[in-house]
Amino acid sequence: MFSEKDFIASNYTISTTEGAFEWSAPSNIALVKYWGKIGNQLPANPSISFTLNNCKTITKLAFIAKDVQADFSFDLLFEGKPKEDFKPKIQKFFERIFEYCPYLKDFHFTIDTQNTFPHSSGIASSASGMAALAMNVMSLERLLNPEMAEDYFYQKASLLARLGSGSACRSVKGQVVVWGEHKEIEGSSNLFGVGFSGMHDNFKNYQDTILLVDKGEKQVSSTVGHDLMHDHPFAERRFEQAHENLSKMKFILETGNIEEFIKVVESEALTLHAMMMTSMPYFILMKPNTLEIINKIWKFRNDTQIPVCFTLDAGANVHVLYPEKNKTEVLQLINNQLVEYCQNGQYICDEIGFGAQFLS
């Protein structure tokens, strides 16, 4: 296990003048939610997530050495066109990771990024975006230090991604990732995400169809939402509950108990929204159509005994989770009963994936 100090790059040589890398990284959906931060982008409680497959960011990082080490120097393109309003977030990311990657000021970068899912569709792209950028940065570091160990490469990539967006650290690996120290998860850390092993066949190829209820900008940013946990009257009990639910989820994923999986996943989703509704200031992030969908899913599950369930991020969209063998029936449910509650009738079919992929 590496300590935080081990991730500060020191054993490297600027031996290359220019080049480019390209990586894709997926979004992820938390089953046990992380909500609340401590310190420098560290989680107040552990979380566990499914890594997705189709909803991903593809980022190319081109670099050229500079004569003088000055400030961070980069151009940013989104879908091939300059995107100035994205630059402050990348600037902040570079500032946060500079301690670990001092070579960043030796190069000028051109970052060209795109999403496979519609921009501003209400799916958090910060996790996939920061993970893809972190993978490219680590590819450059490995070029400067060819002796780098594989475990170090992925753990540091996850650490860097976390500094851009907390949940991004769970988008480096697949299929299931734990972030945050937990007594029952070997190697778990607040610094980076770790892959969960021993998953039962019942959860292989698990499906996630994302119903786009509201594609608008978030009512409250994740940063503001996390900060509201500092003085929240129910914060400490919530953090305890997350540890308890992660213990349950570990056992569930190992034994294949889908009935218990549904209970924990739906409870976690509603708890996340309950924390927002009971904060000060308070927010209701669900929309009327979110509730309509949830009630339809509950009725369908009760009537058919098909193990379909929902989870939510900090927004109105609904992630519909179900085994691959029930795909036909659930998609019929979505097309016959749920699509009318989606903005412009839009939804995205996804499934468990394997994390970041090197493209070129």
Side-chain angles (χ1 to χ4, degrees):
M1 176 71 72
F2 299 104
S3 69
E4 190 166 11
K5 289 183 179 178
D6 292 329
F7 292 113
I8 298 173
S10 56
N11 184 29
Y12 67 89
T13 305
I14 305 298
S15 55
T16 186
T17 56
E18 62 181 304
F21 298 102
E22 188 172 27
W23 281 83
S24 71
S27 188
N28 66 78
I29 180 64
L31 308 173
V32 173
K33 308 294 185 181
Y34 133 72
W35 200 243
K37 296 179 185 178
I38 54 176
N40 187 19
Q41 289 283 97
L42 299 173
N45 66 265
S47 58
I48 187 168
S49 61
F50 278 160
T51 309
L52 297 182
N53 186 55
N54 301 328
C55 291
K56 56 191 175 185
T57 298
I58 300 168
T59 299
K60 183 176 182 179
L61 180 75
F63 55 90
I64 184 166
K66 298 187 297 189
D67 293 332
V68 180
Q69 189 186 67
D71 202 0
F72 305 111
S73 173
F74 64 94
D75 297 313
L76 182 64
L77 305 175
F78 179 69
E79 297 180 346
K81 299 177 181 178
K83 191 73 173 174
E84 291 299 313
D85 53 334
F86 280 11
K87 290 189 75 171
K89 192 166 188 176
I90 304 300
Q91 174 76 22
K92 189 173 184 179
F93 174 65
F94 280 160
E95 290 168 358
R96 283 179 172 174
I97 70 171
F98 180 65
E99 174 187 355
Y100 305 95
C101 308
Y103 49 82
L104 288 174
K105 291 186 179 180
D106 289 298
F107 297 92
H108 174 80
F109 298 102
T110 301
I111 304 164
D112 193 349
T113 189
Q114 59 182 306
N115 295 329
T116 61
F117 50 94
H119 181 54
S120 299
S121 64
I123 299 173
S125 58
S126 56
S128 56
M130 288 301 174
L133 184 53
M135 299 307 294
N136 279 296
V137 169
M138 285 307 299
S139 288
L140 172 59
E141 184 170 321
R142 185 159 56 183
L143 192 65
L144 305 180
N145 176 19
E147 303 301 313
M148 181 185 297
E150 193 76 357
D151 284 353
Y152 179 92
F153 176 90
Y154 280 96
Q155 287 185 3
K156 183 168 179 178
S158 181
L159 179 146
L160 298 182
R162 185 200 91 225
L163 293 172
S165 173
S167 60
C169 74
R170 298 193 309 245
S171 285
V172 169
K173 286 278 194 175
Q175 302 169 296
V176 178
V177 177
V178 175
W179 173 37
E181 292 176 6
H182 188 274
K183 62 184 180 181
E184 296 176 31
I185 307 292
E186 185 178 354
S188 58
S189 172
N190 287 341
L191 299 178
F192 46 78
V194 298
F196 178 87
S197 58
M199 186 171 67
H200 193 279
D201 284 349
N202 283 355
F203 295 105
K204 298 287 174 67
N205 301 321
Y206 222 72
Q207 304 292 297
D208 178 8
T209 300
I210 307 158
L211 307 184
L212 303 179
V213 174
D214 183 5
K215 293 169 38 173
E217 192 170 333
K218 286 184 185 177
Q219 181 184 346
V220 56
S221 73
S222 295
T223 299
V224 171
H226 286 292
D227 287 345
L228 291 173
M229 291 297 285
H230 289 309
D231 299 311
H232 199 292
F234 308 131
E236 290 308 313
R237 178 65 194 112
R238 163 57 198 157
F239 300 147
E240 292 170 2
Q241 180 197 44
H243 279 270
E244 294 162 5
N245 281 344
L246 186 46
S247 294
K248 292 178 184 177
M249 187 57 68
K250 177 180 183 291
F251 184 73
I252 287 165
L253 291 174
E254 290 171 341
T255 59
N257 191 328
I258 293 181
E259 186 176 331
E260 290 301 312
F261 174 84
I262 288 171
K263 291 178 184 177
V264 174
V265 166
E266 291 190 343
S267 172
E268 276 285 316
L270 296 175
T271 298
L272 169 65
H273 283 255
M275 300 309 289
M276 291 299 290
M277 286 190 276
T278 51
S279 64
M280 189 59 72
Y282 39 82
F283 298 92
I284 298 177
L285 302 182
M286 289 187 273
K287 301 290 186 184
N289 282 354
T290 308
L291 296 174
E292 291 283 358
I293 289 169
I294 290 172
N295 280 304
K296 295 275 188 183
I297 289 172
W298 282 344
K299 184 177 187 307
F300 177 82
R301 188 170 72 223
N302 186 61
D303 291 346
T304 65
Q305 302 305 303
I306 290 174
V308 57
C309 69
F310 72 89
T311 189
L312 309 165
D313 270 334
N317 297 332
V318 181
H319 290 250
V320 185
L321 303 178
Y322 52 96
E324 185 182 34
K325 67 180 182 180
N326 300 118
K327 186 172 182 177
T328 299
E329 299 97 323
V330 175
L331 288 179
Q332 284 176 350
L333 164 71
I334 290 168
N335 285 308
N336 294 340
Q337 297 187 46
L338 305 184
V339 72
E340 64 180 286
Y341 302 110
C342 300
Q343 188 172 340
N344 300 322
Q346 287 189 295
Y347 61 88
I348 297 173
C349 291
D350 213 329
E351 60 190 353
I352 285 186
F354 294 91
Q357 302 288 322
F358 179 68
L359 301 179
S360 65

